[in-house]
Amino acid sequence: MTSPLERVVENGMCVGCGGCGVATNGRIPVTLRPRGYYEADLTGASTEDLATGARACPFSGVSKNEDEIAEAVFPGLESDKRTGTYRSMFAGRLTDDSVLPDSSSGGLTTWIIRRLLKEGDVDGVIHVAGTESPIFGYVVSHTDEEILAGRKSKYHPATFAEALNSVRGNGNRYAIVGVPCAIRSARLVAAEDQVIGDQLKYFIGIVCGHLKSSAYAESFAWQLGVEPDDLETVDFRIKDPGLTSRQYSFGAKSRRTGEWVTKQTLSLVGGSWGHAVFQLNACNYCDDVFAETADVVVGDAWLSKYEVDWRGTNVVITRNERIDALFTEGAAAGEFVYDELDVDAVARTQGGNFRHRREGLAVRLADDDKAGRWHPEKRVAPGYDHVTPERIELIRNRRRISEVSHDAFAEAKAARDLKVYLNAIQPLISDYQNQTKMPFRIRLRNKIQRELWKAVGRVRRTR
């Protein structure tokens, strides 16, 4: 009989988080696959290890879900089905403009982990930073300088298996930073392994649209003339003071020349996040937008009021009393500015995310049920009645773009010809864009809103 963990891997739903590898003390290796994503290697895994790994896997269908974990770790807090539990909610950014270009958004993820280290709440931080090979991965930082070196978004696969196994039992306390599935997995590991549970003191979540394979970075760099074999590193979020926070650029550094080349991300093929190129299949089965098992979650505040500010603004939900107190102290000291938000405003910052993880998930689950395909149990019920036929087609097309992107880019690399990928993916993206084109009245409304907030910002700066 196939075990739950085997079903996850066989159906391409392993997200590569590393939970099973840590829970089994390395007996289930989590390795980087040829197509640029991490996956558990179950070769030779014992029945006991498969069962242990499944209890730490966010997509096994047998591990505790977000609601069950949150009920245990955040008892008595207010809750909303969209955001999970919460103590406080706000939008904010650092007041020191000189450091904001080196942050993806408002700089508050780095601010809180630096503060935890400075105040002695932790001895180190487990987070994603630049590495030699692959170009990004989980590292363990023990100094402020090391944490600062890991700033900015890394739209790249990463597994915490090696990093977390490396600190197991050393007596130090850590904060771990990750996207929703990684934080849930880390919580599950902490419950499974008392040693790890005693060491992981804070769980810092990052709002995630979906995870990418390494082909995402490679495809952009290749479009800029830097071939995959020549790629040293990338910068996914280069800000421009003359543009909005959404209009950031992508940069690639050539290993051969040492030079950087950049271009606005939205001008690149696959540059719109909604196109879902190189999305991991596991992300088709996630319903957690705001890292509901994290002590605090930080994301982009995608509201017109904040989008117009090139510096970027974070949306933050706290669930931990100590972290809430640290933010209160930081705000009182003038280290960041903030606006309190209600739950409706917070949910609006991630409108597209909810459409994918709630509306879209219901359709994908229903499609799988209809086709007789296995999928994990989710908090979202399968069905089609909540969306229009046009929307159903759009959801299916988005899934198709993801699937084709992986195959076509692998063929392009084998042929050493980027056009193989572009010729396959551009027609699908073009059709998708035609389907999602906003009516003129909505585009006009959005433009007016942005211009109004720009005007408000100019008035505030002249006072």
Side-chain angles (χ1 to χ4, degrees):
M1 182 177 177
T2 304
S3 72
L5 199 60
E6 288 171 319
R7 284 199 299 265
V8 169
V9 175
E10 288 173 2
N11 286 277
M13 295 181 194
C14 177
V15 77
C17 60
C20 61
V22 180
T24 60
N25 202 20
R27 291 188 297 277
I28 295 180
V30 180
T31 60
L32 188 62
R33 310 303 295 159
R35 290 198 174 185
Y37 55 82
Y38 285 94
E39 187 176 80
D41 182 356
L42 305 183
T43 306
S46 69
T47 301
E48 182 180 354
D49 284 339
L50 290 173
T52 300
R55 291 194 296 272
C57 174
F59 294 99
S60 67
V62 298
S63 58
K64 289 184 178 180
N65 68 24
E66 292 83 354
D67 291 338
E68 293 168 325
I69 295 170
E71 185 178 352
V73 297
F74 307 124
L77 293 187
E78 291 187 77
S79 183
D80 185 276
K81 288 183 178 180
R82 296 165 293 180
T83 63
T85 57
Y86 58 91
R87 291 179 62 89
S88 65
M89 298 176 167
F90 62 92
R93 61 166 172 78
L94 298 178
T95 51
D96 184 354
D97 286 357
S98 67
V99 303
L100 285 172
D102 293 320
S103 299
S104 290
S105 189
L108 294 183
T109 305
T110 301
W111 184 89
I112 190 60
I113 58 178
R114 291 178 72 196
R115 183 55 58 96
L116 287 169
L117 184 66
K118 179 181 179 181
E119 297 293 326
D121 292 277
V122 297
D123 302 301
V125 178
I126 302 167
H127 63 130
V128 177
T131 53
E132 188 169 337
S133 181
I135 58 176
F136 299 112
Y138 267 96
V139 300
V140 184
S141 293
H142 296 96
T143 68
D144 192 59
E145 291 74 21
E146 289 172 337
I147 290 174
L148 287 172
R151 284 179 290 181
K152 283 202 174 182
S153 298
K154 314 292 190 302
Y155 304 130
H156 196 273
T159 178
F160 60 62
E162 185 176 344
L164 196 46
N165 271 327
S166 74
V167 303
R168 187 179 186 278
N170 69 5
N172 288 335
R173 304 155 302 156
Y174 295 94
I176 185 167
V177 185
V179 295
C181 60
I183 294 299
R184 178 183 168 197
S185 180
R187 285 281 192 191
L188 293 167
V189 171
E192 189 74 25
D193 185 322
Q194 186 174 346
V195 174
I196 292 291
D198 289 342
Q199 290 181 267
L200 291 182
K201 296 301 182 183
Y202 295 96
F203 298 77
I204 314 298
I206 299 173
V207 174
C208 171
H210 57 261
L211 289 172
K212 302 286 194 182
S213 75
S214 60
Y216 183 67
E218 291 177 344
S219 73
F220 284 179
W222 206 350
Q223 290 177 57
L224 297 182
V226 181
E227 296 185 10
D229 291 343
D230 184 37
L231 182 60
E232 181 173 328
T233 191
V234 301
D235 187 336
F236 290 105
R237 299 280 289 262
I238 301 172
K239 299 177 180 180
D240 186 331
L243 300 174
T244 71
S245 59
R246 279 191 184 273
Q247 295 170 306
Y248 51 81
S249 292
F250 170 87
K253 184 179 181 182
S254 165
R255 190 183 304 277
R256 179 175 53 84
T257 68
E259 295 179 354
W260 282 89
V261 286
T262 64
K263 194 171 185 179
Q264 194 172 111
T265 304
L266 289 173
S267 69
L268 297 169
V269 175
S272 170
W273 200 258
H275 295 161
V277 294
F278 307 111
Q279 174 190 286
L280 301 193
N281 185 45
C283 303
N284 283 317
Y285 300 91
C286 177
D287 57 17
D288 184 357
V289 174
F290 284 102
E292 296 174 38
T293 64
D295 293 306
V296 59
V297 59
V298 186
D300 285 286
W302 295 129
L303 297 174
S304 297
K305 177 180 180 180
Y306 307 114
E307 286 178 21
V308 297
D309 192 329
W310 70 272
R311 293 169 293 187
T313 305
N314 288 126
V315 60
V316 180
I317 301 176
T318 68
R319 304 185 180 104
N320 177 283
E321 185 176 5
R322 173 59 176 161
I323 287 179
D324 206 31
L326 289 174
F327 273 120
T328 299
E329 292 170 10
E335 295 184 36
F336 61 89
V337 293
Y338 73 99
D339 296 328
E340 291 184 1
L341 299 179
D342 61 26
V343 69
D344 292 331
V346 168
R348 286 199 303 275
T349 68
Q350 300 298 319
N353 219 340
F354 279 107
R355 287 191 292 274
H356 174 64
R357 294 178 187 264
R358 303 293 172 86
E359 289 181 8
L361 176 57
V363 171
R364 292 189 294 273
L365 293 175
D367 281 350
D368 285 353
D369 287 344
K370 199 172 182 179
R373 292 190 294 261
W374 177 84
H375 62 73
E377 184 84 13
K378 303 304 300 181
R379 296 176 296 172
V380 173
Y384 304 109
D385 294 342
H386 61 298
V387 289
T388 64
E390 292 77 17
R391 183 70 187 168
I392 292 172
E393 183 182 2
L394 185 69
I395 291 164
R396 290 170 177 164
N397 287 345
R398 192 173 191 266
R399 193 177 194 178
R400 176 66 176 159
I401 289 174
S402 297
E403 294 168 350
V404 171
S405 66
H406 292 290
D407 294 338
F409 195 74
E411 293 171 7
K413 288 181 73 174
R416 302 187 69 85
D417 185 357
L418 177 61
K419 290 182 180 178
V420 173
Y421 165 70
L422 296 178
N423 290 341
I425 207 68
Q426 281 181 306
L428 298 178
I429 289 176
S430 179
D431 289 345
Y432 184 87
Q433 287 188 179
N434 288 334
Q435 285 181 292
T436 56
K437 189 173 183 180
M438 289 183 184
F440 174 76
R441 60 181 177 80
I442 295 179
R443 283 184 284 137
L444 179 61
R445 180 201 66 188
N446 292 345
K447 181 177 177 59
I448 291 172
Q449 286 179 340
R450 287 193 297 270
E451 293 304 319
L452 285 173
W453 282 116
K454 284 181 182 178
V456 170
R458 285 193 294 269
V459 170
R460 286 176 176 173
R461 286 193 293 273
T462 57
R463 284 180 177 175

